[in-house]
Amino acid sequence: AAGVIQSPRHLIKEKRETATLKCYPIPRHDTVYWYQQGPGQDPQFLISFYEKMQSDKGSIPDRFSAQQFSDYHSELNMSSLELGDSALYFCASSLWNSDYEQYFGPGTRLTVT
Amino acid sequence: SQQGEEDPQALSIQEGENATMNCSYKTSINNLQWYRQNSGRGLVHLILIRSNEREKHSGRLRVTLDTSKKSSSLLITASRAADTASYFCATDADTSGSRLTFGEGTQLTVNP
């Protein structure tokens, strides 16, 4: 069965640079979520989209923005990167109003040097 | 912010034994989901239990939910070395708009 696809899998950036992470949800899933997991931490919710509209917002820095496109894929844009942004970034997808069973992608490991 | 806590934080058992992990949470929920994560890798969805359910089974997994105590447990029977991973519970609070709030996780080690 098709899973959530994330790209790139690994990304190394320098401070103050920008990064774009991409997420392709499971086919027919209409809701996308982004989570950040720091080293040794549990995942923290950043933001979610349903039918291309932001549906919920968590602890996402103002330096980050995200959107969902007409084909339901989503991109997380991160600017003015800081050392503390180094983390695993997960995308998850679900069907709206289906118990919101969320399936996660393999994650993008971002390292900021 | 932490929705809940997991107990124990680390668990080491022998292959063939059962492993029980507990999760507590703070708010009313729509459902509770359990995930497995191998070191530094993706989160694998294990099972979802709705707030109106008390017990659910999937293969070697058994999940219970006690909404009066705001707690859940995950039992893995007949454990295998391949079960070695971190296990997280995650709640979908009924006021959260479907975001998941994760517990701190239990690191399970199954020794061959």
Side-chain angles (χ1 to χ4, degrees), chain A residues 35 37 42 56-57 99 102, chain B residues 31 35 50 96 98-99:
Chain A
Y35 293 84
Q37 185 180 30
D42 54 280
D56 195 6
K57 188 174 182 179
D99 290 328
Q102 294 184 28
Chain B
N31 63 57
Y35 290 86
R50 297 185 184 94
S96 72
S98 82
R99 71 170 72 176

Side-chain angles (χ1 to χ4, degrees), chain B residues 11-31:
Chain B
L11 180 62
S12 182
I13 59 175
Q14 296 299 122
E15 240 180 353
E17 294 182 337
N18 296 340
T20 300
M21 289 159 273
N22 302 296
C23 164
S24 61
Y25 57 92
K26 298 176 183 174
T27 65
S28 297
I29 61 171
N30 291 317
N31 63 57

Side-chain angles (χ1 to χ4, degrees), chain A residues 65-109:
Chain A
S65 65
Q67 57 182 324
Q68 185 181 33
F69 296 85
S70 57
D71 64 352
Y72 296 106
H73 94 272
S74 178
E75 295 183 4
L76 177 66
N77 299 294
M78 311 159 72
S79 63
S80 303
L81 287 169
E82 302 173 356
L83 295 178
D85 296 329
S86 295
L88 262 173
Y89 290 85
F90 289 108
C91 171
S93 73
S94 75
L95 271 172
W96 188 261
N97 278 340
S98 65
D99 290 328
Y100 303 108
E101 197 166 62
Q102 294 184 28
Y103 293 88
F104 282 71
T108 293
R109 182 173 294 283

Side-chain angles (χ1 to χ4, degrees), chain B residues 26-42:
Chain B
K26 298 176 183 174
T27 65
S28 297
I29 61 171
N30 291 317
N31 63 57
L32 186 146
Q33 304 181 47
W34 283 91
Y35 290 86
R36 183 185 74 226
Q37 184 178 36
N38 291 85
S39 179
R41 305 186 69 174

